[in-house]
Amino acid sequence: MLRKLSNGCVHLVNRFLPDPFLFCVILTVLVFAGSLAVTGAGFVATVAGWGKGIWNLLAFSMQMALVLVLGSALANARIVKGIIDKIAGIAKTPTQGIVVVTVVSVVCCWLNWGFGLVIGAILAKEIARQVKGIDYRLLIASAYTGFVVWHAGISGSIPLALATPGEEALLKATGGALSEAIPTSMTIFSPYNILACVIILVGLPFINAKMHPSKEETFVVDPELLKETEEDKKIPVTPAEKLEHSPICSLIIVAAGLIFLVNYFMNNGFNLTLDIVNTIFLVLGLLAHKTPINYVHAIADATKGTAGIILQFPFYAGIMALMTFAPNGTSLASVISTFFVSISTRVTFPLFSFLSAGIVNFFVPSGGGQWAVQGPIMMPAGLELGVDPSLTGMAIAWGDAWTNMIQPFWALPALGIAGLSARDIMGYCVIALLFSGIVVCGCFLLAGFGFLLPF
């Protein structure tokens, strides 16, 4: 039954999902039309709002490109390959391969989303190389589905923002609903959140494994195509070449990087921001590749998969600008959020907050952007209905992560590593969307009735 359903989803996606770039262009047109209708602004004014926003994600685009490049370069180091090979060696059959990559992806994405996206895709490639008869598309899709838990984990931007002291910042972000920080024991480590994560960790690997196509329909990649090309070792002759092949320069940067990281964690605790993850990847990559020239070659190979990020992220920045464009005080995102508030009760508000966040995330696929759009609307509304702010915040966080399963934006790094297109994996991700949606809706309904709340 599940295989038939997944096959149907894969067939529909393959027929109707366009290239991710065309997909974001279509989204731009739809959101543009919606913004025109809702805001009442003129065509030229709306175009101006879009134009001002398209470069708002430049810093984030570079961060994401570096997650892909630095993570891939680190994973391609011989010592790291050995570790990944051993983990991949646990899987002996296609079913085991799907289960292993899903479990690793869920756990790593819960720990840190950037780390999880890269490691999951790289592990999937290695399992595809080692395990015969495994469907490569489903394997990469399984690696990506672990991303559904990221905002419920310890790198979730919304629960971390709620846990950060600062009365002025909290009041602004929550529309005046919150002035004191909420500890992570009330959000990330709350019973309802832990339950949702555990059910997904246990259930999703087997859901993914059950979707494996029949032998006749399995998409198998030649293992030789997944092998990394080895650079010809060149004997250094000139002083410049000897310097390039000397580990001394790399060790100097590694030492400086380690000192910085130790000092950072001593002062900030285990707060893994995107910049810190990239710094870790950079330092470990230099150390693992030993010499500067080896690392240069690894980075050059890794940059080949960044085209989608470079091209598409400006368009998504424009979409986000259109969603929040409010020349008369009303934006398209606020209309969506306000509608769900209007049909909510104290019991159903967490559930409807989750669903509204899932819809908004489809057009604003950024945790920080999602919080900026919905926090000032949903947090005061929840407080007025008697809903704990920690519950409202986590509902927005889960909604932000949930519809990533059918949004190619975050899949780009994994697709760049795998060498696949969005339509290759999104059919399988639809099933992950349905499963995780049922789990999370159930947990928020229980929380709405007063069960599984923090003590």
Side-chain angles (χ1 to χ4, degrees):
M1 177 66 182
L2 184 59
R3 183 183 292 177
K4 288 183 179 179
L5 180 59
S6 65
N7 285 343
C9 291
V10 170
H11 178 72
L12 286 173
V13 167
N14 281 334
R15 280 182 60 85
F16 296 108
L17 181 68
D19 179 85
F21 173 63
L22 182 57
F23 180 81
C24 72
V25 170
I26 293 172
L27 281 184
T28 300
V29 174
L30 292 175
V31 175
F32 187 90
S35 184
L36 274 176
V38 166
T39 64
F43 182 87
V44 175
T46 306
V47 170
W50 171 80
K52 290 178 181 177
I54 58 175
W55 304 119
N56 286 345
L57 289 181
L58 279 182
F60 181 67
S61 301
M62 188 62 176
Q63 287 175 319
M64 285 302 297
L66 285 172
V67 164
L68 170 57
V69 172
L70 298 177
S72 299
L74 172 61
N76 287 329
R78 188 169 299 175
I79 186 172
V80 179
K81 279 183 179 179
I83 297 172
I84 293 175
D85 287 351
K86 289 182 179 179
I87 297 174
I90 297 173
K92 305 301 181 184
T93 66
T95 295
Q96 292 175 359
I98 298 299
V99 169
V100 168
V101 79
T102 307
V103 169
V104 170
S105 177
V106 170
V107 171
C108 289
C109 284
W110 189 88
L111 292 173
N112 182 265
W113 65 268
F115 180 73
L117 276 177
V118 172
I119 291 299
I122 291 171
L123 175 62
K125 282 185 68 175
E126 184 56 34
I127 290 177
R129 195 179 68 81
Q130 294 188 22
V131 179
K132 294 182 179 180
I134 194 166
D135 192 279
Y136 187 55
R137 299 167 304 179
L138 176 58
L139 194 60
I140 299 301
S142 300
Y144 180 61
T145 57
F147 190 57
V148 75
V149 304
W150 86 269
H151 222 149
I154 59 177
S155 67
S157 57
I158 291 176
L160 291 180
L162 288 172
T164 303
E167 181 178 350
E168 185 177 345
L170 285 170
L171 285 171
K172 181 179 179 181
T174 62
L178 198 66
S179 60
E180 295 184 1
I182 299 175
T184 55
S185 60
M186 300 281 289
T187 53
I188 296 172
F189 298 103
S190 62
Y192 66 84
N193 190 61
I194 293 295
L195 178 63
C197 291
V198 169
I199 293 175
I200 290 173
L201 175 63
V202 174
L204 187 58
F206 296 100
I207 294 288
N208 287 342
K210 285 291 185 181
M211 288 192 286
H212 198 280
S214 63
K215 188 176 181 180
E216 297 75 23
E217 298 174 318
T218 299
F219 179 83
V220 179
V221 173
D222 184 353
E224 294 298 318
L225 297 177
L226 300 177
K227 287 184 177 180
E228 303 294 335
T229 57
E230 295 286 340
E231 290 285 340
D232 294 331
K233 290 187 177 180
K234 181 180 179 181
I235 299 175
V237 177
T238 67
E241 290 175 345
K242 290 180 180 180
L243 189 61
E244 290 171 350
H245 288 81
S246 170
I248 295 176
C249 293
S250 293
L251 289 175
I252 291 173
I253 301 300
V254 168
L258 290 175
I259 292 171
F260 165 77
L261 290 170
V262 169
N263 181 66
Y264 173 84
F265 287 121
M266 287 179 63
N267 293 323
N268 299 278
F270 193 67
N271 180 22
L272 282 174
T273 67
L274 201 53
D275 287 337
I276 294 300
V277 169
N278 280 334
T279 303
I280 293 171
F281 282 165
L282 175 64
V283 171
L284 292 181
L286 280 166
L287 182 63
H289 283 281
K290 297 181 181 179
T291 68
I293 198 65
N294 285 345
Y295 195 54
V296 167
H297 291 156
I299 291 293
D301 288 338
T303 55
K304 298 173 184 177
T306 61
I309 293 174
I310 294 170
L311 175 61
Q312 294 174 42
F313 274 35
F315 285 85
Y316 279 110
I319 291 170
M320 290 170 59
L322 288 172
M323 285 291 291
T324 58
F325 181 59
N328 300 317
T330 301
S331 68
L332 182 57
S334 68
V335 168
I336 295 172
S337 299
T338 303
F339 166 76
F340 280 95
V341 169
S342 68
I343 62 174
S344 299
T345 65
R346 184 186 63 81
V347 171
T348 61
F349 184 78
L351 171 63
F352 285 138
S353 295
F354 164 67
L355 294 175
S356 70
I359 293 173
V360 172
N361 173 69
F362 198 72
F363 303 98
V364 187
S366 163
Q370 181 95 13
W371 182 234
V373 168
Q374 290 201 285
I377 300 170
M378 307 303 288
M379 296 294 282
L383 197 62
E384 188 173 336
L385 288 170
V387 179
D388 191 278
S390 65
L391 187 55
T392 303
M394 287 308 295
I396 299 172
W398 267 107
D400 171 72
W402 179 48
T403 46
N404 286 331
M405 294 298 96
I406 53 173
Q407 165 55 269
F409 181 86
W410 290 109
L412 293 176
L415 294 172
I417 292 169
L420 293 178
S421 67
R423 65 167 63 95
D424 290 321
I425 71 168
M426 283 296 160
Y428 298 112
C429 293
V430 170
I431 306 300
L433 175 91
L434 296 174
F435 169 69
S436 59
I438 292 171
V439 171
V440 177
C441 283
C443 288
F444 277 122
L445 270 179
L446 288 173
F449 279 107
F451 301 104
L452 300 175
L453 293 175
F455 295 106

